[in-house]
Amino acid sequence: MDYTAFFTQALTTLRDERRYRVFADLERIAGRFPHAVWHAPDGTREVVIWCSNDYLGMAQHPKVVGAMVEAASRMGTGAGGTRNIAGTNHPLVELERELADLHRKPAALVFTSGYISNQTGIATIARLLPNCLILSDALNHNSMIEGVRQAGCEKQIWRHNDVGHLEELLKAAALDQPKLIVFESLYSMDGDVAPVHAICDLAKRYGAMTYVDEVHAVGMYGPRGGGITERDGAMERIDVIEGTLAKAFGCLGGYIAASTELVDAVRSYAPGFIFTTALPPAICAAASAAIRHLKTSQWERDRHQDRAAKVKAVLTAAGLPVMPSDTHIVPLLVGDPEKCKAACDMLLAEHGIYIQPINYPTVPRGMERLRITPSPYHDDALIDALAEALVDVWERLALPNRGRALAAE
């Protein structure tokens, strides 16, 4: 039997559907973000990154880099194994304290990634609730979908941000049935925000728990970077807050913050936590440094919002199809997978601008887009250069302009 043929056919299917992904070989330049070196097939050249989730550039911050170097020099590079076997390295203990404090919760638990914290966190919580009903927003991230699936519980999908539909589903369930509402605070592809208080009102009325993914909001919103729930004064109303250390905090890892009992139960039962190696001390020290800095420094958040607003204004004025967004996410509608990839290739090869195409299944077919994420370090000159490059590419590929995009909505 030719096993290789199965894999070849699977890859052919992706290529035929225009979903085959190609990764650019990039070398970031610390101290010069968003500039990077692209190791292209014909040599190296400098490019500007416009789609990084290192939203605030914290991966290059002197405090964060310094904390990582100091911890690695003092404690080495690895954690030594799982926490059950190797113990918990002290920087990880300190990191969980910082996270609990950030979200005003009694306890926090760190996982190896934000994906794992959702996948194993949701599944474990739901399995510990007898006959649990999970109510999941239709646009939840794949990690949340996998967590719901692995829970093996009854589930209901409610229309995105539609609290009326959510209430219908809650009403139909038995009042004494345990319920877990899972949703995101900020949805990263469209940049829209959940009606957090309305969801919490329903949870209280129908006796449900709430689980919110703040991955794209922690560090970015709220007076201390606690996310949308902090900004909107809803942290105390949420039972479980999940977040990442890999985006605004510029490091690696995921976490949940909740009651002492819930966190301890997940720690004790979650296979995705129990059976995997812990984060290294240096990563934990760097993440703690980033969190501590952003708890007190507002400059990054203010500058970031200013840059996002500037990008939206400049691109809209240039006639480009900027999709509506009240947050830092700036999506440009393309609506065609081949042209979406072609646009990104042209931007990189001809203009030195790196933006990845967003195609199905990340977004629905026909909603392919470029997802632009400004940072505090994208100055006016870079924004103007981006607009000029996009206009050139849009015209050459005959992509929809702002007027045609609005007419299609």
Side-chain angles (χ1 to χ4, degrees), residues 341-396:
K341 178 65 167 61
C344 294
D345 290 344
M346 291 169 64
L347 287 168
L348 184 59
E350 300 180 28
H351 296 278
I353 289 174
Y354 175 68
I355 305 174
Q356 271 291 79
I358 305 296
N359 291 334
Y360 177 84
T362 306
V363 295
R365 298 182 195 275
M367 295 300 292
E368 293 83 3
R369 68 196 65 179
L370 306 188
R371 177 181 175 271
I372 297 168
T373 54
S375 79
Y377 302 98
H378 286 91
D379 59 25
D380 286 356
L382 291 179
I383 294 172
D384 290 340
L386 171 67
E388 292 174 7
L390 286 169
V391 167
D392 173 63
V393 168
W394 242 249
E395 290 177 350
R396 290 165 59 189

Side-chain angles (χ1 to χ4, degrees), residues 3-24:
Y3 288 98
T4 301
F6 295 111
F7 304 118
T8 301
Q9 180 56 49
L11 293 172
T12 298
T13 299
L14 286 179
R15 290 188 174 95
D16 290 345
E17 294 178 355
R18 305 299 186 264
R19 293 197 291 125
Y20 182 75
R21 298 170 189 262
V22 178
F23 300 147

